[in-house]
Amino acid sequence: MDQTTFSAVDEFAADLLAPHDEALQAALTACEDAGLPAIQVSPLQGKLLQLLVGLQRSQKVLEFGTLGGYSTIWMARALPADGSLITLEADVDYAEVAQRNFELAELADRIDIRTGPALETLLTLEEEGAGPFDFTFIDADKVNSPNYFAWALDHMRPGGVIVADNVVRDGALADRDSGDEKVEAQRRLHEMLADELRVTATTIQTVGSKGYDGFTIALVREA
Ligand SMILES: C[S@@+](CC[C@H](N)C(=O)[O-])C[C@H]1O[C@@H](n2cnc3c(N)ncnc32)[C@H](O)[C@@H]1O
């Protein structure tokens, strides 16, 4: 098996199960035209996020790492008309691209994009009494994934779900001597989860158009 096969399977399945409509395609094109890095989730991953948001019957969603808003659009489409999604992005230029994409997708009324380093924005969200969230997607600077997880967990409803992306990192997750701070952060996240009585979690390795990686999914216990 190689990357060509992984990409071909992704393409086959995505064409049938997660096809782009005009707004999703326009969002990706706008990201490319603006020179944003192509590090958004794949179409099938976007669809998975949408299914999870829907399965949770989510009203309030929190996202760390907007980029051009591709994953945000997938998730926001599973919200009811009175639902809301707060998405956090450090880069002002990326946030502008995302905001235009939300308007084109006719979702701007339910998406609140906050610009600035997420750890700082969280202080504001805390003051505002944001949450409790039904679903959180962690996909920003990977060194801070454990910090984002810790904050999110304190602001989730019982039965809520937290997904953290890019935790496997080409298999480096298993390497205790990796020396890479992003890998170390994912190892720390797993150690936190193992000791955290408020959640039950698993990690799934994935291959696809985005290569070899994986995500962690944590369910907040009801009591
Ligand atoms: C992997 S991309 C997000 C992709 C997006 N979730 C998607 O799938 O369409 C990560 C994003 O996190 C942003 N980011 C990096 N550091 C951040 C920080 N400290 N606070 C908020 N966002 C940050 C980056 O600018 C980038 O846009």
Side-chain angles (χ1 to χ4, degrees):
M1 295 293 168
D2 59 11
Q3 184 55 48
T4 312
T5 309
F6 302 151
S7 295
V9 172
D10 245 24
E11 201 176 314
F12 169 78
D15 279 352
L16 292 170
L17 305 180
H20 278 168
D21 62 7
E22 212 175 308
L24 279 170
Q25 193 49 50
L28 270 195
T29 305
C31 290
E32 268 170 39
D33 291 350
L36 270 57
I39 51 174
Q40 68 281 344
V41 296
S42 71
L44 291 171
Q45 290 166 341
K47 182 72 179 282
L48 173 66
L49 292 169
Q50 184 174 90
L51 292 174
L52 291 171
V53 169
L55 280 168
Q56 284 298 102
R57 300 194 189 290
S58 305
Q59 298 270 350
K60 289 188 183 183
V61 173
L62 175 63
E63 178 181 50
F64 292 85
T66 318
L67 192 67
Y70 180 76
S71 54
T72 325
I73 292 173
W74 276 108
M75 291 189 285
R77 284 180 167 176
L79 287 172
D82 61 347
S84 63
L85 188 159
I86 298 176
T87 182
L88 312 182
E89 174 54 52
D91 189 296
V92 181
D93 295 334
Y94 294 2
E96 276 177 17
V97 175
Q99 183 61 36
R100 282 197 297 278
N101 286 337
F102 300 151
E103 281 156 19
L104 263 171
E106 298 183 359
L107 290 166
D109 60 332
R110 66 197 73 166
I111 300 174
D112 177 6
I113 182 163
R114 304 289 183 101
T115 311
L119 286 177
E120 287 176 23
T121 309
L122 291 180
L123 301 175
T124 311
L125 293 183
E126 188 79 52
E127 279 169 19
E128 291 173 6
F133 298 99
D134 306 291
F135 187 84
T136 293
F137 180 45
I138 299 175
D139 191 25
D141 49 328
K142 307 302 166 180
V143 285
N144 272 314
S145 293
N147 296 327
Y148 299 151
F149 184 90
W151 192 92
L153 182 54
D154 286 342
H155 297 81
M156 297 294 290
R157 73 155 161 89
V161 164
I162 304 173
V163 172
D165 201 9
N166 307 123
V167 300
V168 173
R169 315 203 67 77
D170 270 320
L173 181 65
D175 181 4
R176 70 173 70 234
D177 301 318
S178 137
D180 177 333
E181 57 179 1
K182 293 180 187 169
V183 173
E184 282 166 3
Q186 307 321 309
R187 291 177 61 87
R188 210 161 55 247
L189 175 65
H190 281 75
E191 284 153 12
M192 272 173 67
L193 287 165
D195 291 340
E196 177 53 74
L197 298 178
R198 290 176 290 170
V199 299
T200 178
T202 190
T203 287
I204 299 295
Q205 302 184 68
T206 56
V207 293
S209 58
K210 299 284 166 175
Y212 169 40
D213 211 320
F215 58 89
T216 294
I217 177 165
L219 173 69
V220 181
R221 293 183 197 275
E222 299 276 345

